Amino acid sequence: LLDISRPVGIDDIYIDVNILEEIASQQWLEIADMHCLTPDEFDRFGLGEVSQKQIAGMRAVETYSKLRVLGKPGSGKTTFLQHLAIQCNQGKFAANRVPIFITLRDFADEFRETGHNSLLNYIREEFLTSGITDPSVIETLLREGRVLLLLDGLDEVLNQDSNAIVKEIRRFSENYQKNLFIATCRTARQTLNLKGFTDVELATFTQEQIAAFAQKWFAALTKTNVEDEVEPAVQFIEKLGLPENLQFRRLAVTPLFLHLAC
């Protein structure tokens, strides 16, 4: 969280997200149809209200075994993956699997330094830090389909490394198809095609999600008495709803901007 000097627990701030199964940037309107849009209906580069059909984020990850979650900067992609890892550890999602969270930028840095781009070897190295030294343990988990592999930030891989990293993800996911794979990527870099993966997009927050986030934010990050925790959030929502704050309201549908607004 920008401008916050201490760690904040995921569960203290996380709000269940919604998913768009139809990618917003791939939707089209005829010019004649655009003339009929009101200011409220016109989606300002994805910052306004989204009218496409939405499904719960957890439903999407339970539906597809290979999923790529697209989203704009600050839309909560990394937080979503971190939440899935915690849910898995707690037995609330994919309870029979072991979550493995990989920051693809770090994997790419390792590849650049060593010249080896094997995801399997990288996972083995990560397991060593947890005291798991027997490589057959990881191989068994993968062969039995007991892994939830979370690959964060495909867009953060440098251009010169991207083709090699994408190729390795494809190869790895094909070799160990019984497992669950979820990758994240900025919408602008969706041209980095992951064969076999289904693309979905994180939806912007609804008004109900904005209110729920504000309640959690003020409870977690302000020094108020327990009985007063709801009051700052109520004041915030009322202020956000004022006509003169329309521009802030349009930005606050994205988690990062909503955090800054709070």
Side-chain angles (χ1 to χ4, degrees):
L1 293 175
L2 297 177
D3 294 332
I4 300 299
S5 59
R6 60 180 175 84
V8 178
I10 293 289
D11 290 340
D12 293 336
I13 205 77
Y14 182 79
I15 296 296
D16 288 332
V17 297
N18 292 333
I19 293 287
L20 303 172
E21 291 186 288
E22 295 183 0
I23 309 304
S25 62
Q26 296 176 0
Q27 306 306 303
W28 299 88
L29 279 178
E30 296 293 337
I31 292 178
D33 296 330
M34 294 181 67
H35 289 311
C36 300
L37 294 176
T38 67
D40 288 338
E41 293 171 326
F42 196 87
D43 192 5
R44 307 172 45 248
F45 302 100
L47 295 176
E49 295 287 340
V50 176
S51 58
Q52 295 105 310
K53 182 181 177 182
Q54 303 181 15
I55 64 171
M58 292 303 294
R59 180 181 161 194
V61 297
E62 289 168 350
T63 302
Y64 304 103
S65 62
K66 295 181 183 179
L67 191 69
R68 185 170 67 160
V69 179
L70 303 172
K72 301 175 182 68
S75 61
K77 299 182 295 296
T78 298
T79 307
F80 180 52
L81 285 198
Q82 291 170 337
H83 172 72
L84 291 178
I86 293 170
Q87 292 289 98
C88 184
N89 273 337
Q90 294 175 347
K92 298 176 183 177
F93 166 67
N96 65 330
R97 300 178 190 267
V98 176
I100 301 175
F101 189 103
I102 293 177
T103 302
L104 288 174
R105 181 180 61 244
D106 294 342
F107 174 52
D109 289 343
E110 182 83 7
F111 158 60
R112 203 176 312 111
E113 291 173 8
T114 64
H116 302 296
N117 68 331
S118 167
L119 264 174
L120 182 59
N121 288 338
Y122 188 78
I123 291 170
R124 285 173 179 161
E125 292 295 323
E126 291 290 300
F127 269 49
L128 285 175
T129 64
S130 300
I132 301 172
T133 57
D134 185 355
S136 67
V137 172
I138 301 152
E139 187 71 22
T140 299
L141 286 172
L142 288 166
R143 290 296 177 194
E144 295 298 322
R146 296 288 300 279
V147 169
L148 167 63
L149 190 61
L150 304 165
L151 303 165
D152 187 42
L154 184 59
D155 57 281
E156 296 181 17
V157 176
L158 295 177
N159 284 335
Q160 61 264 34
D161 302 328
S162 59
N163 286 336
I165 299 302
V166 165
K167 185 177 180 180
E168 172 60 9
I169 293 172
R170 287 176 185 163
R171 186 195 66 80
F172 190 86
S173 64
E174 289 170 359
N175 286 347
Y176 302 105
Q177 292 202 33
K178 292 182 181 179
N179 301 280
L180 293 183
F181 300 87
I182 305 174
T184 64
C185 183
R186 283 190 185 182
T187 309
R189 292 290 302 279
Q190 67 190 67
T191 51
L192 293 170
N193 186 37
L194 274 178
K195 182 181 178 182
F197 280 66
T198 298
D199 280 352
V200 296
E201 185 173 358
L202 279 181
T204 52
F205 274 176
T206 63
Q207 291 305 307
E208 291 78 12
Q209 288 171 320
I210 290 173
F213 181 92
Q215 287 187 359
K216 280 195 167 188
W217 192 96
F218 283 100
L221 297 172
T222 58
K223 297 178 180 179
T224 55
N225 295 323
V226 174
E227 57 269 21
D228 295 334
E229 281 181 354
V230 176
E231 188 59 31
V234 172
Q235 292 177 352
F236 170 78
I237 293 299
E238 289 176 351
K239 190 170 185 179
L240 193 64
L242 296 176
E244 61 265 32
N245 289 327
L246 174 62
Q247 289 179 319
F248 284 106
R249 198 157 61 247
R250 284 174 167 167
L251 288 171
V253 296
T254 299
L256 175 61
F257 290 118
L258 177 56
H259 157 64
L260 295 176
C262 286

